[in-house]
Amino acid sequence: MAHVSRVERAKQNDLLSKSTTLYIGNLSFYTTEEQIYELFTKCASPEDGGGIKRIIMGLDRNTRTPCGFCFVEYYTHAEALASMKYVSGTKLDERIIRCDLDLGYKEGRQFGRGKSGGQVRDEHRQDYDPGRGGWGAQAQRLEAERRREVEERYADAQEGPGAVAGGGGDWKESEMAVPSRKRGRSPDDEGDNARMGHHRSRDDMEVERM
């Protein structure tokens, strides 16, 4: 097995010594292909038959959106080495990016390998990184589970004994059921008013006589 490992390692070193492909890491999820092209074309040598052959954006396996890495393929090995020397460790979108020689792009490698579809590094990340989707995928799942548990406990409390009436509907019904304190008019009231009117008429009559 050790012999096989040495052979594989020697083969990989040979491929890297001729590689024209770079793996670019620590990109912002919002960095565009155009921005990457603009930066890496500075190390291209079109006058020597070189230049950027293609850029393959790394994508979330589930959402098919950028997830923080890409492959830049040049026409010459010298261009790839120049990018490693002059671009790796510089800032793009306020992030320090890194460049490594790659064995060569193969279809399928553009997708993240993390459980959530993105990169493995973002699966276990504990810090908040606004350029890479906020909290790490595991932390986001734990937070979602915690919120779901809280909502379920709240729902159980609402349905259990002594639950608070929802929406205020029950209170409105109870208010409607309370009898009004204002006494309704009755025939007796009409009689009193008539009598009061009768007394006023007699007084008027006395004034006229005076």
Side-chain angles (χ1 to χ4, degrees), residues 10-78:
K11 187 185 292 185
Q12 287 182 4
N13 289 336
D14 182 56
L15 288 171
L16 290 174
S17 70
K18 302 171 185 176
S19 176
T20 61
T21 304
L22 291 173
Y23 172 90
I24 316 301
N26 200 40
L27 292 173
S28 165
F29 288 5
Y30 305 103
T31 299
T32 65
E33 186 174 334
E34 289 75 15
Q35 288 174 283
I36 294 166
Y37 183 88
E38 183 181 354
L39 176 62
F40 284 87
T41 198
K42 293 177 180 179
C43 293
S45 305
E47 66 278 3
D48 297 326
I52 293 178
K53 186 176 182 180
R54 60 176 174 169
I55 294 173
I56 301 101
M57 298 296 290
L59 303 175
D60 184 290
R61 191 173 62 253
N62 299 324
T63 63
R64 297 298 196 266
T65 54
C67 65
F69 72 98
C70 75
F71 298 92
V72 175
E73 187 175 343
Y74 286 101
Y75 281 99
T76 68
H77 177 63

Side-chain angles (χ1 to χ4, degrees), residues 93-138:
D93 263 356
E94 298 303 314
R95 301 183 68 84
I96 296 175
I97 61 173
R98 75 172 197 277
C99 309
D100 295 301
L101 281 174
D102 191 80
L103 294 173
Y105 171 77
K106 291 182 180 179
E107 185 62 32
R109 289 190 63 201
Q110 74 268 42
F111 300 120
R113 293 178 294 170
K115 289 182 179 179
S116 300
Q119 287 193 277
V120 174
R121 59 167 287 193
D122 290 312
E123 196 74 27
H124 306 286
R125 186 166 45 76
Q126 296 297 317
D127 62 321
Y128 184 85
D129 189 340
R132 295 183 69 90
W135 297 105
Q138 272 191 355

